[in-house]
Amino acid sequence: MRERQQYGRNDDENNNSEVNAKRVKFSASPRTKRVTLSDFTCIQDPHPFGVLPGGNQFFMSDQSAQQPTSSKSLLEQVLDDKLWQTVLSYCDAKTLGNVVQVSRYLYVAGHQSELWRDLVLRQCDATKIAITKVAKSWKDTYVLLFSPTTTTQRLFVQSRPMNIPGIYSDTIYQSHFCRSFAIPDAWLVRTNDQNENYTEQQQQQRREIPCVSVESISPQAFFSHYEETNQPVVIQGAANGKAVDCWSNWEYLQAHSSPTKTFRTTSGAAPLSGYFTLDAYRKYTEFEYLEESPLYLFDRNAFVGNEQWEDDFFPDFYRQCPYWDPSGQYGHDLLQHLGSRQRPDHTWLIAGPKRSGSVFHIDPNCTHAWNACIQGRKRWIFYPPGDPPPGVLPSLDGDEVALPLSVGEWIVQYWEEHMEQYRQRPVGSRPMECTTFPGDVIFVPHGWWHSVINLDDVNIAITHNYLSPSNLGNALKFFVEKQDHISGCRDRAESIKPEMIHDALVEALRTKEPKHLEKAMAQTEWTCRAWSSQSTNQPDKEQQDPTSEVKRKTIMEQTEPLASFTFSFL
């Protein structure tokens, strides 16, 4: 397996817990189609430079068999593909431009999208500029942004990938596969399973995220059936309104946004965030060959100063879902009492191309969330609190999490184990899945692991994190015992800093919501398994017995090597 992504102390966290040894078997509905790994492998686009998996070299014709293996010179064969990727990552743009002219193999290795993306992001950060224009690839974008103007006007020509036969590399091909995996047909349709009314016991057995229509659920039903029980639910039609009708048109969005306004994008595999104008990001999503983990627009300031975008979405949304309206009679976003600029980050605009998304994580600061699907479809995969997904390795104290770099890599390496977990885990620990469609809103309970995969060429969503009486007790403990994990307030001068949030919230709620505060303050233990085994009141074996020979392993030491990439395509 390639290098794993590792989160530090200020990011989402969780901890391993023992799984009940009792196995529960059941028969799924005959209409339920379980996606298998083979559903992802029928990719339509070959590698842009003609690279094939390493196993294909054993099926070469007699004529091609006389060529050097993988078209590498003796010098190039000294280092394996992974080491060459490391070496090339240290090259500046001029050096990398020269390296790709050395040989056929280095031409392919040196044109990988991630190398040129990182060069663009680092140069933008160093020069403090935003990405205001893009070409058809990251390499061309670098030339367009940073070459002298006169040289660019005279010499700039869009590059075209050349097919280079005889390059066999599992490492290079795996990255292509992870960014080009097929989207299963079963994910793209709203099945009967999502609409049928199952009994509570049947729903529990099936472990599918329930779907209800916005007209059929009252605030009291939402609170009692889902929020207080900490269970996810999809509310169909909850976000239907002007945003769903108009935001599929990028020209509409641009017409109602400042042309100079920039939006933050991020990726777990990118070294830095990138800042795009809206038009530049739209063109980036249309790259013919995106990197394995595409940059995901995830901006907390998208609605600042943009009344039109706010009016397109929030009035209709709050009218249809009064239980999420902070100013309504059911207003229970308790963090609002800290002040809109003093509270941690809470509302984001999200946009991304097909196969972008977020790897497994837990939402920050012990908060619940709602996510409104505006354009495009999203596939959601949930694991209950305290039961991390396969391939996700939290440290004992939850300070670090090691996991695959991209959603594609997790699918390639762990989908079969994911299906096995579905079949063999106890009912309450099984994963849950669903697809959300434009107009749907999904409730994400606090402490749940979840991953999101965008399924369409254009995907836009709005999400909001909040506290309510149902998770206030856990949040107050979190703000005391997990201050290193508090996020969304460290880089803004006006925000309340982590060490002060608990006291500030208690003081505000003492006046605004005294009954909810009294109940939350009476809670002495965690009620969510996401943090219960990480409590600072529960010492580990080393603290209990100083003579113990048990040594705590780091996250990377716990990571077991996986079988090498073994796909072969003739």
Side-chain angles (χ1 to χ4, degrees):
M1 181 179 173
R2 299 171 297 167
E3 178 185 0
R4 288 170 176 260
Q5 185 173 355
Q6 184 167 340
Y7 289 123
R9 299 179 66 88
N10 294 333
D11 293 287
D12 300 327
E13 73 292 325
N14 204 340
N15 190 20
N16 284 308
S17 62
E18 294 183 0
V19 177
N20 190 324
K22 182 180 179 181
R23 303 299 186 187
V24 179
K25 296 183 178 180
F26 72 101
S27 298
S29 163
R31 289 177 296 278
T32 301
K33 180 184 184 301
R34 293 293 162 210
V35 174
T36 65
L37 183 60
S38 62
D39 291 310
F40 299 101
T41 58
C42 299
I43 59 176
Q44 296 179 348
D45 299 322
H47 192 281
F49 297 100
V51 177
L52 293 173
N56 284 54
Q57 62 186 304
F58 299 110
F59 299 95
M60 296 164 59
S61 64
D62 292 340
Q63 181 179 358
S64 59
Q66 299 174 7
Q67 300 176 0
T69 302
S70 296
S71 295
K72 283 186 178 181
S73 67
L74 292 177
L75 176 62
E76 290 163 353
Q77 293 181 43
V78 172
L79 303 180
D80 64 20
D81 294 331
K82 293 182 179 179
L83 285 176
W84 269 116
Q85 286 188 337
T86 302
V87 170
L88 294 175
S89 69
Y90 286 98
C91 294
D92 60 20
K94 183 177 181 180
T95 303
L96 193 57
N98 290 330
V99 165
V100 298
Q101 302 178 59
V102 171
S103 70
R104 299 164 67 211
Y105 171 76
L106 289 178
Y107 172 82
V108 173
H111 271 98
Q112 294 181 84
S113 298
E114 288 77 3
L115 294 173
W116 291 96
R117 175 204 61 197
D118 293 355
L119 288 171
V120 171
L121 295 181
R122 289 193 173 100
Q123 188 67 10
C124 286
D125 183 68
T127 56
K128 306 302 179 186
I129 67 170
I131 301 174
T132 58
K133 52 186 177 180
V134 298
K136 292 186 176 181
S137 68
W138 278 114
K139 181 182 178 183
D140 290 340
T141 298
Y142 186 95
V143 175
L144 191 62
L145 290 175
F146 303 115
S147 293
T149 303
T150 55
T151 302
T152 302
Q153 291 175 345
R154 186 171 64 251
L155 300 177
F156 180 68
V157 177
Q158 300 275 8
S159 62
R160 290 185 178 181
M162 291 190 298
N163 188 284
I164 307 296
I167 305 296
Y168 302 95
S169 168
D170 286 341
T171 299
I172 296 176
Y173 192 88
Q174 181 176 4
S175 181
H176 170 69
F177 180 85
C178 289
R179 65 172 170 256
S180 306
F181 61 88
I183 303 294
D185 291 339
W187 287 3
L188 300 175
V189 295
R190 196 187 293 277
T191 63
N192 290 333
D193 288 341
Q194 288 182 291
N195 290 319
E196 291 188 21
N197 294 320
Y198 287 88
T199 66
E200 184 174 348
Q201 182 178 6
Q202 288 172 327
Q203 200 67 255
Q204 181 84 357
Q205 290 289 332
R206 295 174 64 255
R207 297 302 293 169
E208 295 294 331
I209 296 176
C211 294
V212 298
S213 67
V214 68
E215 295 86 4
S216 66
I217 184 168
S218 65
Q220 291 78 12
F222 170 73
F223 295 143
S224 61
H225 292 167
Y226 303 108
E227 193 176 89
E228 291 179 358
T229 60
N230 211 45
Q231 294 295 311
V233 63
V234 174
I235 303 178
Q236 297 174 352
N240 282 341
K242 189 174 181 180
V244 172
D245 295 334
C246 298
W247 287 16
S248 60
N249 187 337
W250 282 98
E251 285 70 24
Y252 175 88
L253 290 172
Q254 290 174 224
H256 295 92
S257 177
S258 169
T260 60
K261 183 178 177 64
T262 60
F263 297 83
R264 179 178 179 268
T265 66
T266 186
S267 164
L272 297 164
S273 298
Y275 293 85
F276 287 75
T277 61
L278 192 61
D279 183 58
Y281 185 74
R282 174 184 66 83
K283 293 177 180 176
Y284 159 71
T285 65
E286 296 172 354
F287 277 7
E288 187 173 1
Y289 301 107
L290 285 164
E291 61 269 37
E292 176 182 339
S293 184
L295 291 175
Y296 203 15
L297 191 153
F298 202 88
D299 194 279
R300 66 188 180 189
N301 297 314
F303 294 100
V304 175
N306 195 324
E307 295 182 0
Q308 181 63 56
W309 286 10
E310 286 191 1
D311 291 343
D312 285 350
F313 175 75
F314 287 100
D316 286 341
F317 175 64
Y318 288 150
R319 177 179 54 80
Q320 297 183 95
C321 302
Y323 36 88
W324 279 322
D325 183 358
S327 62
Q329 61 174 318
Y330 302 103
H332 62 294
D333 183 359
L334 301 178
L335 284 172
Q336 69 177 309
H337 299 306
L338 294 178
S340 61
R341 296 298 297 169
Q342 289 74 34
R343 67 183 293 181
D345 299 335
H346 53 96
T347 305
W348 291 267
L349 177 71
I350 307 173
K354 184 183 292 186
R355 300 181 186 87
S356 64
S358 59
V359 294
F360 278 103
H361 65 283
I362 296 173
D363 278 353
N365 303 333
C366 206
T367 55
H368 295 316
W370 54 256
N371 183 291
C373 190
I374 307 301
Q375 294 297 329
R377 293 161 288 187
K378 294 175 178 289
R379 188 66 179 180
W380 296 77
I381 305 173
F382 281 77
Y383 274 77
D387 294 302
V392 177
L393 301 176
S395 63
L396 292 175
D397 56 7
D399 283 354
E400 297 175 341
V401 180
L403 69 166
L405 289 167
S406 67
V407 293
E409 183 183 2
W410 185 84
I411 287 172
V412 169
Q413 299 284 13
Y414 293 104
W415 190 261
E416 290 182 332
E417 186 175 346
H418 168 62
M419 288 290 95
E420 191 67 18
Q421 299 278 346
Y422 186 95
R423 290 188 290 268
Q424 294 191 358
R425 281 194 180 198
V427 171
S429 298
R430 288 183 189 142
M432 303 174 76
E433 296 184 38
C434 71
T435 296
T436 54
F437 295 75
D440 291 349
V441 176
I442 189 169
F443 169 61
V444 182
H446 77 304
W448 282 71
W449 291 97
H450 55 285
S451 178
V452 189
I453 307 169
N454 289 314
L455 306 180
D456 290 294
D457 293 333
V458 177
N459 302 270
I460 302 174
I462 299 170
T463 191
H464 179 92
N465 288 78
Y466 67 96
L467 290 184
S468 77
S470 63
N471 62 332
L472 178 60
N474 285 331
L476 291 177
K477 287 178 64 64
F478 185 92
F479 290 147
V480 171
E481 301 182 17
K482 302 291 182 181
Q483 289 184 6
D484 287 346
H485 300 174
I486 297 173
S487 64
C489 56
R490 299 173 188 273
D491 63 339
R492 291 187 290 110
E494 70 274 22
S495 65
I496 300 172
K497 295 304 176 276
E499 62 274 12
M500 303 298 295
I501 286 182
H502 175 271
D503 292 346
L505 184 59
V506 168
E507 184 64 26
L509 295 181
R510 186 171 284 121
T511 302
K512 302 289 186 179
E513 301 283 358
K515 291 184 179 180
H516 295 325
L517 177 62
E518 181 181 2
K519 181 179 179 181
M521 295 289 283
Q523 179 182 322
T524 59
E525 301 294 334
W526 296 100
T527 61
C528 179
R529 291 181 60 222
W531 300 282
S532 60
S533 57
Q534 300 171 18
S535 174
T536 55
N537 297 324
Q538 298 179 3
D540 58 28
K541 292 182 180 179
E542 297 159 280
Q543 294 172 323
Q544 294 175 6
D545 182 7
T547 64
S548 173
E549 297 182 358
V550 177
K551 295 183 179 180
R552 175 179 293 183
K553 291 184 178 181
T554 66
I555 285 295
M556 301 314 291
E557 288 174 334
Q558 294 179 48
T559 305
E560 298 180 359
L562 294 177
S564 59
F565 189 70
T566 56
F567 285 105
S568 179
F569 299 93
L570 298 179

